[in-house]
Amino acid sequence: MNLKVEANIINYSSFPLIKTLIKILSTGLMTGAIIWELVNIYGTLNNWQLPSHLNWIFWIDRIALISHSIEGIIAAYYAKLQDKNPLQYGIYTFFVGTVGLLELKTGQDGKE
């Protein structure tokens, strides 16, 4: 995608609303995934038997955690190249996902 097309997408009138909704939903889901994994670890350490029909949730949350971690690492790297705080951008992008990478690329600071 070239810069002109990206600029048209970002300047689209409903894009800020969509971006805000994605941020809220993604942050909630990532927090839930972290809590779900912590409960699973706690249950494993205390020999709890979780129902086997919940295994699909663990797979989904692990995929989400891994993909968001990769996005966070990429954001931290590019933030360092742009002389910005890599830890701040890495954590922010971990929770909000691709929107954080888009904001970093376009020069927004993530605050509306």
Side-chain angles (χ1 to χ4, degrees):
M1 211 183 278
N2 62 26
L3 255 24
K4 190 172 187 176
V5 173
E6 288 178 8
N8 287 338
I9 292 172
I10 293 170
N11 293 330
Y12 187 66
S13 62
S14 66
F15 186 72
L17 175 63
I18 294 169
K19 187 171 69 168
T20 302
L21 291 174
I22 290 171
K23 287 180 187 180
I24 292 169
L25 184 65
S26 181
T27 301
L29 289 174
M30 290 309 298
T31 303
I34 292 169
I35 292 170
W36 191 254
E37 279 299 322
L38 291 175
V39 167
N40 185 36
I41 292 169
Y42 181 78
T44 302
L45 293 175
N46 291 310
N47 295 322
W48 288 355
Q49 289 293 331
L50 294 173
S52 62
H53 67 277
L54 296 177
N55 285 338
W56 65 274
I57 295 174
F58 290 111
W59 282 103
I60 291 173
D61 101 18
R62 289 174 186 149
I63 291 169
L65 288 170
I66 290 169
S67 63
H68 278 245
S69 296
I70 292 169
E71 287 178 333
I73 291 168
I74 292 169
Y77 175 75
Y78 281 113
K80 185 173 180 165
L81 291 178
Q82 295 179 4
D83 294 327
K84 296 181 180 178
N85 186 350
L87 184 62
Q88 176 186 359
Y89 274 96
I91 293 172
Y92 175 73
T93 303
F94 172 79
F95 281 102
V96 300
T98 307
V99 173
L101 287 173
L102 182 62
E103 289 175 349
L104 183 62
K105 183 178 180 187
T106 60
Q108 297 175 2
D109 62 354
K111 298 175 186 169
E112 295 180 321

